[in-house]
Structures are given as C-alpha cells and as structure tokens.
Amino acid sequence: MKTALILGSTGLVGSVILKELLHDSSYTRVITLVRKPQPIQHAKLLEITTDFNSVPDFSQINHIDTIFSCLGTTRKQTPDMIAYRKIEIEIPILYAEIGKTKGMQNFHYISAIGANKNASNFYLNIKGEAEYLLKNSNIPSLHIYQPSLLTGERKNYRFGEKVGTKIFPIIDLFLMGSLSKYKAMKVENLAKAMITIDSKDQINSVSVYQYDEIMQNLKK
C-alpha cells in the first residue's frame, strides 16, 4: 500500500493522476501541495496548502513511496525568470530531496521531447537542466517522460496548443518509426502510463520514456 505525493495536482496531467490515484486501491494516501484549497474531498487525500516559498511541515508524514512531479508553466504565465526556474527546476529538485528522507523509491518527472541542457531553445534547455540535476540526485528509481504535444482541456487557453490539437491528428499519420516520438498524446494516456510504471519494481534505475514507451505501458 503506497503513499504518493503529487506536485502540480491542479494541472493538466496532475489532475488526472490525482483522480486515478484516489480510485486506485494500491494507494492508501495521496498528498497534494496546492496554493489554495481545492473542491475535492476524499478519505485518502491529504491536501497541504503552501505558497511554495517555504517548505511545509512534513513531520507528521512518516513515509512517501512515490512523487509525481507534474509542474509546468509558460513564459506568458511566469515572465519572471527566477520564478520560472523555481517552478521548472528548483521545486522538483527540492521535493526529490525531501522524498529521499521519507523513503521514496520512485520519482516521476514530466519533461519534453528534445529536452537538453545545452539546447538553444529556452524551454528545452530548462527541461534538460532539470533532467540533468535529477539524474545526479541519487534517486532510487527516476522516471523521465518526454512527450510531444499533450492534448486535453487546459484551464489556461494556449493558442498554439489549440491549433496543434487540430492539425496533429493529420500529422501523426506520417510520424512513423523514429519519428513516432513526436506524436501528440492524450493527457489521460500519459497519466495512466505513469501510474502503471509506478507499480513495477525498478530500483536503482533511470528510465526515459517517449511516445512508444509510454503507450506500451498503458494498462491493457
């Protein structure tokens, strides 16, 4: 029976993971960190309100098996570079360290296809730096997901992604073989694959999942 912590539980992927875990008998406690209370009530849910400028009190939490890091932002939402780096890099690294003190075995991080700390593209550079730091954090089992476009209902309107959801079904028809990693993916598929992967014993490993690997880990 597991205890899971979700970072970004109100976001596109995190909200789906939260819903799935609350109905998954393998998890007896689900912890979320939120900026303001959410309209969700469940016996397994422990909701911690924080501004993310200080570390909440985890003294009453004896064990965390898994952390799902689903945080993400855009330059439009977070134009301040210090705040942007904090969301994309510092918070995941911080809670990976906290997780290790609580016996964490699995850390799941949502990155992006093409992530590279040496990339000239700002977004891919930031994601790549986060990957690099996590890989060097001695996490027992680190799972990095590199999806392309994620499709789902976002709370914040993004014009580029709205257009992408219209044209990617056509483009996807031509993305085969080594190009399949660029296929668009339903957010529900990513969330469910992450939970399936979490159920497997993969200690002392670093695993990177792109489109094909993610889809192969969906529950049959």
Side-chain angles (χ1 to χ4, degrees), residues 56-123:
D57 182 9
F58 278 86
S59 62
Q60 300 303 311
I61 299 173
N62 297 321
H63 192 78
I64 297 174
D65 296 278
T66 298
I67 294 180
F68 293 96
S69 180
C70 310
L71 294 168
T73 187
T74 65
R75 293 293 296 275
K76 182 178 180 180
Q77 290 174 303
T78 313
D80 181 78
M81 283 299 300
I82 295 176
Y84 193 103
R85 286 184 59 85
K86 183 173 184 177
I87 293 170
E88 293 283 359
I89 299 177
E90 294 177 18
I91 293 176
I93 298 298
L94 170 63
Y95 283 94
E97 293 301 318
I98 292 173
K100 287 192 294 182
T101 69
K102 299 294 182 179
M104 177 192 71
Q105 292 298 313
N106 292 303
F107 190 94
H108 302 262
Y109 176 73
I110 300 176
S111 183
I113 193 68
N116 188 312
K117 67 183 181 68
N118 297 314
S120 57
N121 177 277
F122 172 79
Y123 177 72

Side-chain angles (χ1 to χ4, degrees), residues 162-195:
K162 196 71 174 179
V163 173
T165 59
K166 300 294 185 182
I167 64 174
F168 257 76
I170 299 173
I171 296 175
D172 283 353
L173 297 174
F174 302 94
L175 297 177
M176 297 178 288
S178 62
L179 296 178
S180 64
K181 61 186 177 183
Y182 296 107
K183 286 184 177 181
M185 175 177 294
K186 292 181 179 179
V187 63
E188 291 82 5
N189 287 341
L190 175 58
K192 291 177 181 179
M194 291 170 70
I195 295 170

Side-chain angles (χ1 to χ4, degrees), residues 20-67:
E20 293 288 329
L21 294 189
L22 292 178
H23 293 89
D24 190 324
S25 60
S26 299
Y27 300 83
T28 55
R29 174 179 270 189
V30 181
I31 306 166
T32 60
L33 301 180
V34 294
R35 295 185 184 277
K36 58 183 180 180
Q38 299 298 304
I40 302 175
Q41 300 292 324
H42 197 283
K44 295 198 298 187
L45 178 62
L46 173 60
E47 186 179 81
I48 300 175
T49 304
T50 177
D51 60 4
F52 289 99
N53 290 319
S54 59
V55 180
D57 182 9
F58 278 86
S59 62
Q60 300 303 311
I61 299 173
N62 297 321
H63 192 78
I64 297 174
D65 296 278
T66 298
I67 294 180

